[in-house]
Amino acid sequence: MRTLVTGAAGFIGSTLVDRLLADGHSVVGYDNLSTGRVRFLESAAANPNFRFVNGDLLDKEALTRAMKGAEFAFHLAANADVRFGREHPERDLEQNTVATFNLNRLSAAHMSTNEPEDEERGVLINTASIAAFEGQIGQVAYTAAKAGIAGMTFTMARDLGGLGIRVNAIAPSLFSTGITEGIPDEFAAALTKDAAFPKRMGVPDEYARLAVSIIENPMLNGGTIRLDGGQRFAPK
């Protein structure tokens, strides 16, 4: 099985790539390394089943190059490890909602030409956030961006169902990635105190395990799955 992972140089993306390669997938990784992210896939780089394409999620030509040979696409939303502040609301919307929509549109067109396996031609997995449902004070743009991803999921699944393409979204809570990885334990405990269990931040492999479960279960379609330990964000 061939897969495309966007955001492949990030914490969650690289973990997902490693898990997919271990499960026998052939993986195309896509990311914009000019952002300065140097945490990159040492184990994947030496794997003959891995190919990397450098590019921005808004670069349609680079995305088209990355999609060549990829039958199934697993999409991490643009800049999944970054929460832009109030100064950049347009960037939040553009690099999350708009980029994700275009990525799905291009991927679906590519998948529609696949030979079906058990009537299925592909799976699209996008990353929303539980902020889409309980946005915090000061996160209007981020909440709107992630709500847009959750909102397009069911309709897109309906649109693409006739082609044998499934669409799902994962809505994580706070995960130990990027800017949250090194925060003090007492701060992390305060941020996750409202979770049911476990009362901690998620780890990238928990996202990767859910993504693999989605691809393996053909009845998972059209849903936004919360990955949050029962967390509900407080107002701030």
Side-chain angles (χ1 to χ4, degrees):
M1 187 179 295
R2 292 185 290 250
T3 68
L4 168 68
V5 176
T6 64
F11 288 77
I12 290 177
S14 60
T15 302
L16 177 55
V17 167
D18 286 343
R19 179 168 282 276
L20 290 170
L21 288 171
D23 287 350
H25 293 238
S26 177
V27 179
V28 178
Y30 186 88
D31 210 330
N32 183 3
L33 293 185
S34 66
T35 59
R37 285 186 289 184
V38 295
R39 182 185 176 88
F40 185 58
L41 309 167
E42 291 91 353
S43 58
N47 193 311
N49 292 322
F50 179 74
R51 178 169 67 92
F52 182 76
V53 177
N54 188 45
D56 189 273
L57 274 178
L58 297 172
D59 185 340
K60 296 177 184 177
E61 292 184 2
L63 277 171
T64 300
R65 291 196 304 272
M67 288 173 191
K68 291 181 179 178
E71 294 173 352
F72 290 75
F74 301 87
H75 300 320
L76 301 179
N79 295 305
D81 290 342
V82 177
R83 292 193 180 192
F84 293 105
R86 301 178 190 181
E87 299 87 356
H88 306 289
E90 298 88 356
R91 193 184 304 175
D92 254 341
L93 292 164
E94 184 178 32
Q95 295 200 349
N96 281 284
T97 314
V98 174
T100 299
F101 176 83
N102 283 326
L103 184 57
N104 280 262
R105 178 177 60 82
L106 294 169
S107 295
H110 179 75
M111 289 177 180
S112 68
T113 65
N114 293 338
E115 287 296 323
E117 297 180 18
D118 296 325
E119 301 183 349
E120 186 171 17
R121 287 189 168 89
V123 181
L124 299 164
I125 302 177
N126 299 301
T127 302
S129 166
I130 65 169
F133 313 109
E134 302 104 31
Q136 295 182 301
I137 292 170
Q139 290 188 354
V140 173
Y142 183 79
T143 294
K146 293 302 188 179
I149 293 172
M152 71 176 76
T153 299
F154 182 63
T155 305
M156 195 178 300
R158 281 181 156 175
D159 284 347
L160 299 177
L163 297 173
I165 297 172
R166 292 188 287 124
V167 186
N168 289 279
I170 297 174
S173 57
L174 291 168
F175 267 57
S176 182
T177 64
I179 60 174
T180 65
E181 187 187 37
I183 66 175
D185 290 343
E186 59 272 19
F187 188 33
L191 291 173
T192 58
K193 64 182 177 60
D194 294 322
F197 179 84
K199 291 181 180 294
R200 60 167 174 79
M201 292 191 293
V203 295
D205 189 59
E206 289 166 332
Y207 181 105
R209 286 155 62 187
L210 178 55
V212 171
S213 295
I214 291 171
I215 189 63
E216 291 177 346
N217 191 332
M219 281 299 286
L220 285 174
N221 192 21
T224 297
I225 303 171
R226 297 181 66 118
L227 187 63
D228 61 7
Q231 171 97 27
R232 297 296 184 270
F233 281 151
K236 61 180 179 180

